[in-house]
């Protein structure tokens, strides 16, 4: 009986391989499913079942992919009309060697959310040893309930009932296996710790301390989360049954020479620069959008449509491959190629490049001290900004900046600002693409400010 | 905060990498420590501490190896005089990023056994989230207490106190991280399940149901476990501080041509055949000892001295490499080479080979039916034999066979017998090496008998 | 400018990746084309062309596969009507960065054989630096000319002209890149050496010493080569354009439990045992066919139809994966699964197994000395047998044995015999499958005989 | 009989593994010798010999390392007194399975240079099939003869004799295996092509067209090559026998936090930034030296002493690992750690960073057009500069810049210039480290100038 957690970077998505004897199941597989097939081979197991804890909104689920390749069955909750797979409901139960997997209907995050409780029948048919909770319960947090804006209190109440009447009653001894870990957009307060139990959460997850239903509901109903435009598309795709990868895409996109990228750009393609802020600032292709690799999966969905042809600029092939894998997981499939040789190649072709000055924290302090004019544009999430902004700063979330350009104050220069300087560079690139000039990037941003005591509001 | 379990085959040994922020610790590292260093690199962590839960008897601990290569500190309990590392005692505590690790003295398996409780100080300074229990508590079983034969009841009592007064009080919510999993010689009743919590074990581990101290002590004091001769040496080596691998051994041993192996054999070297019973039976080098790879680590310690030069016969290079890694972990370092090209190479050199007939279960039943004379030699562990033997069988544990050859009844042919036929083939090879003839191997053995209804006693 | 040789085991097939600047070509790709795509990525090159030196008969060519995945163009000689790709003819020329590739029509092995000469235009437009010769010229040998039995002298003459009038005139300085190396069925006398030039071959390849056209033709026309039945199918498939792998097959076949294999066998499936002779002899599934892995690709084509469902018995998963890759390359796609757990698993399920005694060379000599009756059945290729057989032996090539069972002399026991004992075990398994009894296998065979001086005829 | 070429990046160093039957030799192994050991294992061969073609000056040879790990013998020419290994001389010969390796004394590049001719004795004892030429003959070029400045004509004459009287007489059919490929500092005119024969070189290597001895000697004696200071140390170390790696260094250096790097810098350590020019220009640690990874091995030897503690700044761990491997090969062993998290980490610690403006080619043309004052500092090799410089440019080779700072003209700003902008960034970092201000980097440099028609002198 093994249980392996598979973590996917970028989205902090967790999926699970669980097996006993010769039989295995996968919970919430990602789209590049080779990893599950490899484990099955090593362990000499056959994947018989896939469980989807809910209709996911933040990545393309790999169920159909895995079904195509292994012949396994796919299960999800009957609440929704799915374009594939088979329905399960509260009380359904599956045997997997000596394991038993029980379905709990645990709505709240979505109406069709399920949890899957795990029993080792050799030891006990009553006490669960673990539970897959999807996006209902995380380590240190609970799921978002803002997907149905007109029913916020209703769904928050559903989540309360799922947590307190279905999941926690499984008992303190139950190991917790959620669908996301720290770094996910699906919850802001997840613990850095990657392992927990229901007993530990019952006592130390702050949301589970809100045992009063009304208090819990009020809290959840008033939470604010940003919503990338791509969530809707993922939701729909996952309901229908996402396209199979080998139908949708082919090989790793081709390397492009600098003149090809120039042509691509003139033809309306998007040059997507995933390098760090300082490299982008040093030299970049005019008009390119900078979303650095570690934030790519989480932030592209706010800014780029699915039909836009994309050509990344990267440090090297390895970095491009990582980006490409992440883009596929969230259905950005129109990657046409990548700039081989990087910016050096671009420059030796005598093609023009742009730069963005990187500003050091002490320069900011100097400007404050000397009362120099500049606009500090804070592009963090609303929740972050509410915890404290720099003096005189304007706040526009980077995910909404392209739509709110006319709100940007007309002070110049504009210094973009975030937690560390990377989302700020994303924002700076958006401004440049839209004709703003005198744009600078505050490398270090809030974290540097904390060390260097910048003036807070 | 990550926690990774590293499983080593053969001994079913479990070690752990735990880290938070930039700092990490390893619990009970094995000798080939590259795996921990690799995880540290990937995670961007520095290994600061090694914890040894006790003076191990079944493998060479990798603490000094890891210390040499990373500069980490090594910790073990003050009870014993160690040749290296630093002492810890009940109540000591270590910070690791936001984690806190508390030392519990949990004697019983050995006097110097410790457990290490894990706290996430961001959430709670009182409630543990996990515990490393070494060989005190396993999933489904508890540790052996037979290492001090003249104090059996005393140490069994110590273990009781450790379990019920130190470990279980950490609370039901605590995840359990033991030093062995199913398949280990350190406990016969471990669960196939690889994950559990104290709460689950408290209710479903049969030994933890024996809450009466006397009953628990009586049960443990009367248990019988076989003891490989190599346990003592591991114990001593681990106390002193095992030799570093790069001092003790060099590269992967060299391939040997068939005539070299013949010479090696004539010079007193041991030809160790790790292929399956049926391949060994089909053709093998006369005088070779057959311990098939999956049982190598667990059974060689009963039969082969540490100073005997060894040359394995294998299917191929990959199998030899796996064997060599396992042998190093338990300090069998005198591997001089391996037969390149295997038995085909041997045969084309016109060197003589021997065979052992493999007997099918229905042939055994026929012999019983027709009352034919033969000796069924059952070489399983005593505990297995006590659960039921075939009619008229003689029992001698394979680990003791070489010392009890004069007890073997003089009926012929001898059909060796075990659970599946692999330890039986080991026994058959011992008999052949010692001049017995008319030796046959019962391929399938007890498992086949259960399907084919052989006559039990 | 790089040139990489890719060797595929089993068939000793050689393919080549050649590139300059950003452009590359592949010559005679195999079906599992990932290897070429990987090199292209590492080198930052785009595969633009595939050249097929001829309509291959011994493996499925990967041209369409590579075309599907990279969009490259596929080229072959206009002589034949192909179902895909584009035609080339003598005199055609392709630029690849600073390289130039010239097409030579070099018929003989087939009518549509081409060679491709390589020029580095930075240095010389007249002198070739290398040449891909397909199956026209090997290191130490020349191609077979027995595919058109009614035109043997005609095609042998074509080959002479291709070699002496087209290839050798490229000059002594030209590096030779053939399509096969030592171990291939496409030529018996290939050098063990893996590198050569036209200058070296001109002086030391024995066939190129036959500068008299008539002598050359006579020699080639009288050569005998065995012809696996699968050659014809490969020929046809390669002409039409072989099916794409992802259309034709899915994932690695599933592990089968022993009872499933038993059922499969009863339903008419072929159990294919790829273990060594001694393991097969030790215990095997009744009715299984033994073709040990290193000879699988070369010998299965004589014995097994393409529509027969196959389930291999192997030492382990790794060995099965290797077998499966090889089978795909030659279009054996009906592999339904493999026996997980191997023969141990079979035996513990109380399923019956068979054995074959392995005979040692001194036992053979004893039988000759004592004039004991037995049939020594020599199953080597005709050419090998002609170089010397054991006294009284009967010769039937293993590839034809199933069709000539009625010719087997009625002396018993039958001792199968080959070069080392592995093809002999293949033959022994064929005899057992067809109801022969008292079959024994001579492990060591001719190579052991040479050492132990068996009586030759 | 196999022959594998192992290419090491950075130095464009080529070493070779050659084997026949069970025996193998390595020619000019690099220091990280795992690669040779791995090939030997795969091929089932034992490495018996190492041949050093000469006392190398551009990397640390791995002979002793390989000897320590495999027990092989090491051979080099008797001319020099070596601290290890055994002497060979013209006419010595070694058998390796069916291969024969003959030693030729081929001085010129060094006095102790040898070539090793390869014969396949199965085919010919007179005609070589290949030859290892070390630094005597390359593809497209011949070796440097400037290591003995007071005997330039003498050694150039020796090289002529070695080439025309020893190597070329082996015959046109001989495959050429030199010690360096394109990109090496050991010859400026090597072909991009990675494969050749003596016949091809005899006709198309421009130096081999100089068949007149005097002409050849004059040409070589007047050649100019830059000489990194580290050449001398390599020479000495390789003569004595370089230290073994596991004595000299330990594990991969540790990750350093930003404040540690700051402390390291203040304590006199060298921060070595191996990122690209545009990233370095965007933000870098004040006082750091920029040598981008692809030029690291070739250029660090001009600028950094062996006893200076080094801490690299990189894009990520993978890039650091590559740098570390390259540094070990040329004996830079004092790498104390690397900046984990890169420049983002630096900035969020509120540590100051510096920038360098990257200049676009059209901006340079504008300055020329408008006659703006600036100093274009050309830091290419002398030979490159002699082929054409920009108007008004000053030339100082980057490898000598630190010693010639007082020669830099006092015009400002200074725009550093090279082939592509990467050595220019190296030069810019040297200027900044030495107190120069108004330093800018011409990204694109000469290659961009060729496209954009900058004014040449």
């Amino acid at each position: 009986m093994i249980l392996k957690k598979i973590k996917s970077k970028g989205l902090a998505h967790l999926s699970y391989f669980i097996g006993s004897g010769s039989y295995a199941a996968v919970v919430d597989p990602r789209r590049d499913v080779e990893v599950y097939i490899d484990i099955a081979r090593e362990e000499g197991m056959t994947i018989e079942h896939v469980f989807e804890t809910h209709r996911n909104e933040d990545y393309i689920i790999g169920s159909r992919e895995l079904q195509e390749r292994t012949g396994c069955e796919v299960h999800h909750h009957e609440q929704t009309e799915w374009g594939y797979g088979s329905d399960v409901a509260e009380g359904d139960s599956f045997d997997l060697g000596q394991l038993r997997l029980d379905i709990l209907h645990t709505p709240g995050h979505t109406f069709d959310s399920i949890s899957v409780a795990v029993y080792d029948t050799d030891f006990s048919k009553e006490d669960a040893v673990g539970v897959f909770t999807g996006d209902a319960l995380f380590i240190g947090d609970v799921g978002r309930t803002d997907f149905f804006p007109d029913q916020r209190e209703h769904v928050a109440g559903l989540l309360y009932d799922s947590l307190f009447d279905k999941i926690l009653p499984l008992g303190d001894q139950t190991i917790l296996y959620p669908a996301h870990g720290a770094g996910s957009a699906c919850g802001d307060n997840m613990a850095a710790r990657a392992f927990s139990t229901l007993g530990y959460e019952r006592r130390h997850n702050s949301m589970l301390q809100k045992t009063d239903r009304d208090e819990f509901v009020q809290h959840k109903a008033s939470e604010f989360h940003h919503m990338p435009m791509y969530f809707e598309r993922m939701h729909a795709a996952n309901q229908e049954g996402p396209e199979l990868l080998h139908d949708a895409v082919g090989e790793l996109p081709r390397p492009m020479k600098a003149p090809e990228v120039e042509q691509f750009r003139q033809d309306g393609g998007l040059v997507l620069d995933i390098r760090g802020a300082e490299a982008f600032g040093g030299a970049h292709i005019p008009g390119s959008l900078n979303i650095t690799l570690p934030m790519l999966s989480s932030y592209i969905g706010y800014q780029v449509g699915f039909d836009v042809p994309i050509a990344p600029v990267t440090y090297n092939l390895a970095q491009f491959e990582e980006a490409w894998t992440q883009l596929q997981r969230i259905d950005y499939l129109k990657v046409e190629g990548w700039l081989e040789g990087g910016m050096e190649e671009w420059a030796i072709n005598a093609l023009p490049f742009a730069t963005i000055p990187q500003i050091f924290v002490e320069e900011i302090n100097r400007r404050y001290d000397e009362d120099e004019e500049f606009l500090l544009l804070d592009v963090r999430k609303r929740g972050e900004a509410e915890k404290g902004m720099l003096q005189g700063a304007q706040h526009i979330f980077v995910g909404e900046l392209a739509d709110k350009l006319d709100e940007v104050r007309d002070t110049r220069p504009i210094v973009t600002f975030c937690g560390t300087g990377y989302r700020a560079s994303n924002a700076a690139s958006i401004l440049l693409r839209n004709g703003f000039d005198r744009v600078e990037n505050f490398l270090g941003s809030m974290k540097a400010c904390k060390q260097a005591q910048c003036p807070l509001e």
Side-chain angles (χ1 to χ4, degrees), chain A:
Chain A
M1 276 179 63
I2 63 155
L3 197 158
K4 295 207 178 182
K5 177 170 66 183
I6 293 88
K7 182 167 179 173
S8 305
K9 284 191 207 165
L11 296 168
H13 165 243
L14 306 176
S15 56
Y16 298 91
F17 182 102
I18 183 169
S20 171
S22 310
Y23 306 101
V26 177
V27 180
D28 288 335
R30 68 186 187 201
R31 196 178 209 174
D32 39 327
V33 296
E34 201 62 39
V35 62
Y36 313 108
I37 292 168
D38 286 348
I39 296 174
R41 259 178 223 166
E42 272 166 39
E43 301 289 339
M45 292 174 170
T46 304
I47 299 174
E48 306 254 306
H49 301 287
V50 164
F51 295 96
E52 300 184 354
T53 57
H54 63 294
R55 199 170 29 145
N56 283 276
E57 63 288 335
D58 55 343
Y59 67 99
I60 290 286
I61 197 146
S63 309
R64 280 193 66 216
E65 206 77 33
L66 205 48
Q67 186 173 43
E68 171 85 4
R69 296 181 59 179
T70 68
C72 63
E73 268 192 284
V74 177
H75 309 284
H76 29 222
H77 191 257
E78 60 182 4
Q79 179 88 16
T80 300
E81 279 205 21
W82 305 87
Y84 66 108
S86 62
D87 288 350
V88 293
E90 173 91 18
D92 286 352
S93 190
F94 295 84
D95 290 324
L96 202 67
Q98 73 186 53
L99 289 168
R100 198 186 74 225
L101 304 180
D102 281 6
I103 304 300
L104 310 178
H105 185 208
T106 51
H109 173 68
T110 62
F111 290 103
D112 54 16
S113 291
I114 57 170
S115 294
V116 183
V118 179
Y119 298 83
D120 179 349
T121 58
D122 266 18
F123 283 79
S124 168
K125 295 183 169 56
E126 283 81 41
D127 285 345
V129 63
V131 61
F132 301 103
T133 54
D135 282 10
L137 177 60
F138 301 118
I139 297 176
D141 204 350
V142 301
R144 291 173 65 160
T145 52
D146 62 336
F147 289 158
F148 307 91
D150 46 348
Q151 313 180 53
R152 292 184 84 120
E153 301 193 354
H154 173 56
V155 291
L158 289 177
L159 183 63
Y160 178 92
D161 300 337
S162 295
L163 293 169
F164 287 93
D165 299 344
K166 296 265 181 81
I167 294 174
L168 289 183
L170 292 171
D172 283 1
Q173 82 291 337
T174 312
I175 307 179
L176 173 59
Y177 301 111
H180 286 286
S184 164
C186 295
D188 290 339
N189 301 307
M190 293 187 203
R193 175 173 28 92
F195 42 95
S196 195
T197 57
L198 292 188
Y200 195 86
E201 293 302 306
R202 185 174 57 80
R203 284 199 271 177
H204 304 295
N205 182 318
S206 65
M207 286 306 296
L208 297 188
Q209 307 317 302
K210 301 185 195 302
T211 51
D212 180 84
R213 196 178 191 274
D214 284 346
E215 184 197 352
F216 182 97
V217 167
Q218 264 343 99
H219 186 101
K220 290 303 291 180
S222 64
E223 270 182 6
F224 174 81
H225 296 274
H226 294 282
M227 185 92 69
M229 65 186 184
Y230 85 120
F231 270 22
E232 206 170 330
R233 166 157 163 153
M234 294 296 104
H235 229 132
N238 282 329
Q239 179 167 346
E240 262 176 63
E243 269 187 290
L244 296 182
L245 262 192
H246 68 77
D247 292 350
V249 300
E251 286 301 299
L252 188 73
R254 72 197 163 85
M256 291 165 98
K257 297 287 154 199
E260 286 182 272
V261 172
E262 174 60 15
Q263 188 59 49
F264 170 83
R265 189 171 82 91
Q266 286 176 17
D267 294 347
L270 174 70
V271 178
L272 176 68
D273 196 316
I274 63 169
R275 299 175 302 149
E278 62 285 1
F280 186 79
H284 65 265
I285 298 178
S288 58
L289 180 69
N290 179 226
I291 311 180
T292 195
L293 180 56
M295 56 182 275
L296 181 60
S297 296
S298 306
Y299 282 87
I300 191 172
Y302 292 105
Q303 308 176 46
V304 181
F306 290 92
D307 295 329
V308 180
I310 296 174
V313 174
T314 71
Y315 290 133
N316 49 40
L317 174 57
Q319 205 199 24
F320 171 66
E321 290 178 327
E322 172 64 16
W324 188 63
T325 299
Q326 290 194 20
L327 290 170
Q328 286 186 298
R329 287 190 190 137
I330 53 173
D331 226 20
Y332 282 89
L333 302 177
K334 293 184 74 77
V335 178
E336 302 217 341
W338 59 287
L339 174 58
E340 195 193 355
M343 286 308 296
E344 184 186 17
E345 182 67 19
W346 184 264
I348 65 181
N349 276 275
L351 290 161
F353 52 80
T355 62
I356 298 176
Q358 304 297 304
I359 306 300
F360 173 44
V361 62
E362 293 304 354
E363 163 67 8
I364 296 294
N365 278 342
R366 189 194 60 73
R367 294 187 190 178
Y368 275 113
D369 286 351
E370 304 185 3
D371 228 7
E372 261 186 42
E373 197 170 68
F374 71 101
L375 168 62
L376 195 120
L377 185 66
D378 185 336
V379 302
R380 293 178 295 162
K381 292 190 174 171
R382 194 198 289 183
E384 294 169 274
E386 283 167 357
K387 288 177 191 153
M389 284 170 61
L390 257 55
Q391 272 181 21
Q394 177 180 17
H395 175 261
I396 303 177
F397 173 54
V398 65
E400 293 159 1
L401 180 57
D403 294 330
K404 297 187 175 171
L405 292 168
D406 51 354
E407 299 178 18
V408 177
R409 290 190 209 136
D410 65 359
T411 316
R412 293 291 178 278
I414 307 178
V415 179
T416 51
F417 175 90
C418 64
T420 67
Y422 273 36
R423 284 176 296 179
S425 185
N426 181 188
S429 74
I430 293 169
L431 294 174
L432 287 184
R433 281 164 57 79
N434 286 283
F436 286 73
D437 62 359
R438 300 188 62 202
V439 176
E440 301 170 337
N441 184 56
F442 184 168
L443 193 63
S445 282
M446 196 62 194
K447 286 203 177 172
C449 284
K450 283 188 182 153
Q451 305 244 1
Q453 278 136 347
C454 302
L456 293 175
E457 223 153 53

